[in-house]
Coordinates of all heavy atoms in Angstrom, one line a residue:
S1 N -37.1 38.0 188.7 CA -37.3 36.7 188.2 C -38.0 35.8 189.1 O -39.0 35.0 188.8 CB -36.0 36.2 187.8 OG -36.1 34.8 187.2
L2 N -37.6 35.8 190.4 CA -38.3 34.9 191.4 C -39.8 35.4 191.5 O -40.6 34.5 191.8 CB -37.6 35.2 192.8 CG -36.3 34.5 193.0 CD1 -35.6 34.9 194.3 CD2 -36.5 32.9 193.1
S3 N -40.0 36.6 191.3 CA -41.4 37.2 191.4 C -42.3 36.8 190.2 O -43.5 37.2 190.1 CB -41.4 38.7 191.6 OG -40.7 39.0 192.8
G4 N -41.7 36.2 189.2 CA -42.4 35.7 188.1 C -42.5 36.8 186.9 O -43.4 36.7 186.0
K5 N -41.6 37.8 186.8 CA -41.6 38.8 185.9 C -40.8 38.4 184.6 O -40.8 39.2 183.7 CB -41.0 40.1 186.5 CG -41.7 40.6 187.7 CD -43.1 41.0 187.4 CE -43.7 41.7 188.5 NZ -45.1 42.1 188.3
G6 N -40.3 37.2 184.5 CA -39.5 36.8 183.3 C -38.2 36.1 183.7 O -37.9 35.9 184.9
D7 N -37.5 35.8 182.7 CA -36.1 35.2 183.0 C -35.2 36.3 183.4 O -35.5 37.4 183.4 CB -35.6 34.4 181.7 CG -35.4 35.3 180.5 OD1 -35.0 36.5 180.7 OD2 -35.7 34.8 179.4
V8 N -34.0 35.8 183.9 CA -33.1 36.7 184.5 C -32.6 37.8 183.6 O -32.5 39.0 183.9 CB -31.9 36.0 185.2 CG1 -30.9 37.0 185.7 CG2 -32.4 35.0 186.3
E9 N -32.3 37.4 182.4 CA -31.8 38.3 181.3 C -33.0 39.4 181.1 O -32.6 40.7 180.9 CB -31.5 37.6 180.0 CG -30.3 36.7 180.1 CD -30.5 35.4 180.9 OE1 -31.7 35.1 181.1 OE2 -29.6 34.8 181.4
T10 N -34.1 39.1 180.8 CA -35.3 40.0 180.6 C -35.4 41.0 181.9 O -35.6 42.1 181.7 CB -36.6 39.2 180.4 OG1 -36.4 38.4 179.2 CG2 -37.7 40.2 180.2
C11 N -35.3 40.3 183.0 CA -35.5 41.2 184.2 C -34.3 42.1 184.5 O -34.5 43.2 185.0 CB -35.6 40.3 185.4 SG -37.3 39.4 185.5
R12 N -33.2 41.7 184.0 CA -32.0 42.6 184.1 C -32.2 43.8 183.2 O -31.9 45.0 183.6 CB -30.7 41.9 183.6 CG -29.5 42.7 183.5 CD -28.8 43.2 184.7 NE -27.7 44.1 184.6 CZ -26.6 44.0 185.2 NH1 -26.4 43.0 186.1 NH2 -25.6 44.9 185.0
R13 N -32.8 43.6 182.0 CA -33.1 44.7 181.1 C -34.1 45.6 181.8 O -34.0 46.9 181.6 CB -33.4 44.3 179.7 CG -32.3 43.6 179.0 CD -32.6 43.4 177.5 NE -33.7 42.4 177.3 CZ -33.6 41.1 177.2 NH1 -32.3 40.6 177.2 NH2 -34.7 40.3 177.0
M14 N -35.1 45.1 182.4 CA -36.1 45.9 183.0 C -35.5 46.7 184.1 O -35.8 47.9 184.3 CB -37.2 45.0 183.6 CG -38.0 44.2 182.6 SD -39.1 42.9 183.4 CE -40.0 43.8 184.6
A15 N -34.6 46.1 184.9 CA -34.0 46.8 186.1 C -33.1 48.0 185.5 O -33.2 49.1 186.1 CB -33.1 45.8 186.9
E16 N -32.4 47.7 184.4 CA -31.6 48.8 183.8 C -32.3 49.9 183.3 O -32.0 51.1 183.5 CB -30.7 48.2 182.7 CG -29.6 47.3 183.2 CD -28.8 46.7 182.1 OE1 -29.2 46.7 181.0 OE2 -27.7 46.2 182.5
H17 N -33.5 49.6 182.7 CA -34.4 50.7 182.2 C -35.0 51.5 183.5 O -35.1 52.7 183.3 CB -35.6 50.1 181.4 CG -36.6 51.1 181.0 ND1 -36.2 52.0 180.0 CD2 -37.8 51.4 181.3 CE1 -37.3 52.7 179.7 NE2 -38.3 52.5 180.5
A18 N -35.4 50.9 184.5 CA -35.9 51.5 185.6 C -34.8 52.5 186.3 O -35.2 53.6 186.7 CB -36.3 50.5 186.7
L19 N -33.6 52.1 186.2 CA -32.5 52.9 186.7 C -32.3 54.1 185.7 O -32.2 55.3 186.1 CB -31.3 52.1 186.9 CG -30.1 52.8 187.6 CD1 -30.4 53.3 188.9 CD2 -28.9 51.8 187.7
E20 N -32.2 53.8 184.5 CA -31.7 54.8 183.5 C -32.9 55.8 183.2 O -32.6 57.0 183.0 CB -31.4 54.1 182.2 CG -30.0 53.3 182.3 CD -29.8 52.4 181.2 OE1 -30.7 52.3 180.3 OE2 -28.8 51.6 181.2
S21 N -34.1 55.4 183.4 CA -35.3 56.3 183.1 C -35.6 57.2 184.2 O -36.4 58.1 184.0 CB -36.5 55.4 182.7 OG -36.9 54.7 183.9
G22 N -35.1 57.0 185.5 CA -35.4 57.8 186.6 C -36.6 57.2 187.3 O -37.0 57.7 188.4
A23 N -37.2 56.1 186.9 CA -38.3 55.6 187.6 C -38.0 55.0 188.9 O -38.8 55.2 189.9 CB -39.0 54.4 186.8
A24 N -36.8 54.4 189.1 CA -36.4 53.9 190.5 C -36.1 55.1 191.4 O -36.5 55.0 192.6 CB -35.1 53.1 190.2
L25 N -35.6 56.2 190.9 CA -35.4 57.4 191.8 C -36.8 58.0 192.3 O -36.8 58.3 193.4 CB -34.6 58.5 191.0 CG -34.4 59.8 191.7 CD1 -33.5 59.6 192.9 CD2 -33.8 60.9 190.8
E26 N -37.7 57.9 191.3 CA -39.1 58.4 191.7 C -39.6 57.6 192.8 O -40.3 58.0 193.7 CB -40.0 58.4 190.5 CG -39.7 59.5 189.5 CD -40.7 59.4 188.3 OE1 -41.7 58.7 188.4 OE2 -40.3 60.2 187.3
K27 N -39.4 56.2 192.7 CA -40.0 55.3 193.8 C -39.2 55.6 195.1 O -39.8 55.5 196.2 CB -39.7 53.8 193.3 CG -40.7 53.4 192.3 CD -42.1 53.2 192.8 CE -43.0 52.6 191.8 NZ -44.5 52.6 192.3
F28 N -37.9 55.8 195.1 CA -37.1 56.0 196.2 C -37.7 57.3 196.9 O -37.9 57.3 198.1 CB -35.7 56.1 195.9 CG -34.7 56.1 197.2 CD1 -34.8 55.1 198.1 CD2 -33.8 57.1 197.3 CE1 -34.0 55.2 199.2 CE2 -33.0 57.1 198.5 CZ -33.2 56.2 199.4
S29 N -37.9 58.4 196.2 CA -38.4 59.5 196.6 C -39.7 59.4 197.2 O -40.1 59.9 198.3 CB -38.4 60.6 195.6 OG -38.9 61.8 196.0
A30 N -40.6 58.6 196.6 CA -41.9 58.4 197.0 C -41.9 57.6 198.4 O -42.7 57.8 199.3 CB -42.8 57.6 196.1
M31 N -41.0 56.7 198.5 CA -41.0 55.8 199.7 C -40.4 56.7 200.9 O -40.9 56.6 202.0 CB -39.9 54.6 199.5 CG -39.9 53.7 200.7 SD -38.6 52.4 200.6 CE -37.1 53.2 200.9
I32 N -39.5 57.5 200.6 CA -39.0 58.4 201.7 C -40.1 59.4 202.2 O -40.3 59.5 203.4 CB -37.8 59.4 201.1 CG1 -36.5 58.5 200.9 CG2 -37.5 60.4 202.1 CD1 -35.5 59.2 200.1
A33 N -40.9 59.9 201.2 CA -42.0 60.9 201.6 C -43.0 60.1 202.4 O -43.6 60.6 203.4 CB -42.5 61.5 200.4
A34 N -43.4 58.9 202.0 CA -44.4 58.1 202.6 C -44.0 57.7 204.1 O -44.9 57.6 205.0 CB -44.7 56.9 201.9
Q35 N -42.7 57.6 204.3 CA -42.2 57.3 205.6 C -41.8 58.5 206.5 O -41.1 58.3 207.4 CB -41.1 56.2 205.5 CG -41.7 54.9 204.9 CD -40.7 53.7 205.0 OE1 -40.4 53.1 204.0 NE2 -40.1 53.4 206.1
G36 N -42.2 59.6 206.0 CA -42.0 60.8 206.7 C -40.7 61.5 206.6 O -40.4 62.5 207.3
G37 N -39.8 61.0 205.6 CA -38.6 61.7 205.4 C -38.6 62.8 204.4 O -39.5 63.2 203.8
D38 N -37.4 63.6 204.4 CA -37.2 64.7 203.5 C -36.8 64.2 202.2 O -35.7 63.9 201.8 CB -36.1 65.6 204.1 CG -35.8 66.8 203.2 OD1 -36.6 67.0 202.3 OD2 -34.8 67.4 203.5
A39 N -37.9 64.1 201.3 CA -37.7 63.6 200.0 C -36.9 64.5 199.1 O -36.3 64.0 198.0 CB -39.0 63.3 199.3
L40 N -36.6 65.7 199.5 CA -35.7 66.7 198.7 C -34.4 66.2 198.8 O -33.5 66.8 197.9 CB -36.0 68.1 199.2 CG -37.3 68.7 198.9 CD1 -37.4 70.1 199.7 CD2 -37.6 68.8 197.4
V41 N -34.0 65.3 199.6 CA -32.6 64.8 199.6 C -32.2 64.1 198.3 O -31.0 64.1 197.8 CB -32.3 63.8 200.7 CG1 -32.4 64.5 202.1 CG2 -33.2 62.5 200.6

């Protein structure tokens, strides 16, 4: 919401979808790999 993505309620639904869809897991894995870590964890 602070970033301008919508009101808090709308952004909460966006965050829940990112978690439930696996999109957030993909981002975490990509960040680990980009920083040299074992993304297979």
Side-chain angles (χ1 to χ4, degrees):
S1 178
L2 284 169
S3 302
K5 300 295 182 183
D7 59 38
V8 174
E9 291 75 17
T10 300
C11 291
R12 170 72 184 226
R13 290 193 293 270
M14 291 169 58
E16 288 176 347
H17 177 72
L19 188 58
E20 292 164 2
S21 68
L25 178 64
E26 290 179 11
K27 286 291 185 182
F28 190 54
S29 180
M31 186 184 79
I32 293 171
Q35 296 190 230
D38 178 9
L40 291 176
V41 297

